[in-house]
Amino acid sequence: SIDELKGKWSGIITSVTNLRTSVGMVLEHCIPLEFVGKKAQVGMVNQPRFNLDLIRKNTEMIEDVAAKHKKQNLKINFLVLQ
């Protein structure tokens, strides 16, 4: 559920930061919003567009970390919130 993901989000950010500091710093500005099908929609707030590119290039690593925290596979779609 999205509430479960929200509950684990800070731990996921910490783990990602330990692997790639720059990615973790951007993730701190991201909020799990909802699931659309099996994909978690995660919104990025108040960040320049190039940070979305950074996050998207590292989505697989973020998904791997999130899967360990949730103990199940997770697909994430990152988008910019206005």
Side-chain angles (χ1 to χ4, degrees):
S1 75
I2 202 67
D3 290 333
E4 182 195 1
L5 181 58
K6 285 180 180 175
K8 296 188 183 300
W9 195 243
S10 64
I12 292 167
I13 291 172
T14 300
S15 298
V16 169
T17 301
N18 290 336
L19 292 170
R20 290 279 315 271
T21 306
S22 58
V23 177
M25 289 171 65
V26 177
L27 268 192
E28 289 187 16
H29 299 274
C30 295
I31 308 157
L33 303 169
E34 63 179 344
F35 276 95
V36 174
K38 293 190 183 294
K39 261 199 166 182
Q41 307 297 307
V42 175
M44 189 178 77
V45 187
N46 295 331
Q47 289 291 291
R49 187 86 200 172
F50 62 82
N51 278 351
L52 184 64
D53 296 336
L54 175 70
I55 289 283
R56 286 187 170 155
K57 282 187 191 108
N58 288 279
T59 295
E60 199 171 304
M61 179 266 287
I62 296 165
E63 289 173 344
D64 288 346
V65 169
K68 288 188 182 94
H69 281 265
K70 279 183 56 71
K71 302 192 176 26
Q72 69 186 70
N73 285 341
L74 182 69
K75 288 287 174 203
I76 303 174
N77 180 45
F78 289 97
L79 48 116
V80 174
L81 294 181
Q82 297 307 334

